[in-house]
Amino acid sequence: NLVETAKELAAFSAVEKHVTKDIRVLGVGSGSTVVYAINKLKELLEKGQLSPDLVCIPTSFQSRGLIVDAGLRLGDLDENPDIDITIDGADEVDSKLNAIKGGGAAHLREKVVASASKRLILIADYRKDSAVLGEQWTKGVPVEVTPFAYKAVERKITELHHKNSFQGASASSAAFEFTNPVVILRPAVNKAGPVVTDNGNFVFDVKLGKIHDPASVETVLKMIPGVVEVGIFSNMAEEAWFGKEDGTAYCRS
Ligand code: DER
């Protein structure tokens, strides 16, 4: 279908452009779009177009399984702390390449791997290309929280005010659209109770409406004791590839 083809286009374009023979350590994101990137990597591997030393760093159990099943060499961050490039999906990307991530509850390890990478390339279908975060992705900002603190954190987040809680946002401009956030504990689908991440934590989806100041929102959320990681990647991505409904792909940088 159109969306899957668009994901494949974005993934293929990014891998073909960036995963050349000089790439030795590659960060592999998580989610459904990255599956297509792995398919392209497998093809390049079979054609002998990848570095024989290439090692892939996973960002979740899912991405680890993709790497192993594709016959790519699995590495870990401890032995490869300096990653050449990471290719990862996104739930939404704004005009400045800030991104919402964590739709697949993988954003903690993704942000650590992205942070250890020289370059972060995002891949997504046309539904994720927005001017402002919160325009198309309305499920909220994923926030990983330690179970011990989840009720306390829920209270703190719902008490945030879109202006008063942000120095930068003077009385006139607001950091986000809603006056106060709406906090939802992400329920599991095939398991009773909440989603539990690969790190043993819960996930809140924090609805803010449009996010005018992603960096400030990321910082304020991250500073709440008990919050482990926030699914806003501000000022991290260097380039974003999008597949279009018409079968072409384009990139923003
Ligand atoms: O969970 C995540 O962070 C994923 O990377 C997500 O942001 C993108 O997943 P998708 O490619 O399935 O949309």
Side-chain angles (χ1 to χ4, degrees):
N1 68 40
L2 284 180
V3 170
E4 292 309 309
T5 306
K7 290 180 182 180
E8 183 175 58
L9 262 168
F12 281 20
S13 306
V15 171
E16 279 175 346
K17 173 177 175 186
H18 289 290
V19 190
T20 50
K21 275 214 164 184
D22 59 316
I23 297 296
R24 290 191 53 262
V25 186
L26 170 69
V28 175
S30 302
S32 61
T33 309
V34 162
V35 172
Y36 296 108
I38 289 283
N39 294 347
K40 175 54 74 174
L41 285 165
K42 187 170 189 296
E43 183 193 306
L44 296 178
L45 177 71
E46 285 157 3
K47 285 197 261 181
Q49 292 176 4
L50 296 177
S51 161
D53 306 326
L54 179 71
V55 62
C56 295
I57 314 300
T59 52
S60 63
F61 285 125
Q62 181 230 0
S63 109
R64 183 184 190 285
L66 293 176
I67 293 165
V68 171
D69 293 350
L72 293 159
R73 184 175 330 148
L74 181 68
D76 64 28
L77 197 50
D78 314 359
E79 292 167 343
N80 303 276
D82 192 8
I83 299 172
D84 294 317
I85 192 163
T86 287
I87 294 182
D88 199 350
D91 297 309
E92 189 171 34
V93 186
D94 75 9
S95 61
K96 298 194 180 74
L97 297 189
N98 300 305
I100 290 178
K101 284 175 61 49
H107 58 292
L108 186 150
R109 298 188 186 190
E110 288 176 332
K111 199 184 264 188
V112 170
V113 167
S115 167
S117 306
K118 295 187 186 73
R119 313 172 71 194
L120 172 63
I121 310 295
L122 299 178
I123 54 176
D125 62 79
Y126 51 88
R127 299 171 304 165
K128 318 311 192 51
D129 184 1
S130 295
V132 177
L133 296 182
E135 230 172 50
Q136 296 184 87
W137 178 262
T138 55
K139 294 179 183 171
V141 173
V143 174
E144 184 156 339
V145 60
T146 178
F148 168 78
Y150 94 98
K151 269 295 174 196
V153 170
E154 183 181 15
R155 272 169 56 86
K156 290 267 187 194
I157 295 178
T158 49
E159 287 166 3
L160 287 177
H161 185 274
H162 67 160
K163 291 183 182 175
N164 306 343
S165 306
F166 298 84
Q167 287 77 20
S170 59
S172 59
S173 66
F176 52 87
E177 183 182 358
F178 294 175
T179 305
N180 302 98
V182 174
V183 183
I184 297 156
L185 180 64
R186 189 180 295 181
V189 178
N190 298 318
K191 166 194 169 291
V195 160
V196 177
T197 69
D198 293 353
N199 315 300
N201 297 315
F202 293 161
V203 179
F204 282 137
D205 288 303
V206 179
K207 300 190 182 215
L208 302 160
K210 288 188 177 56
I211 305 174
H212 309 299
D213 185 351
S216 298
V217 173
E218 178 184 6
T219 304
V220 167
L221 288 173
K222 183 76 183 267
M223 288 304 289
I224 298 171
V227 168
V228 181
E229 195 49 83
V230 177
I232 293 176
F233 286 42
S234 48
N235 307 308
M236 291 188 83
E238 171 182 304
E239 193 175 277
W241 280 88
F242 299 96
K244 287 170 69 176
E245 292 155 293
D246 67 1
T248 63
Y250 62 97
C251 93
R252 295 203 271 117
S253 59

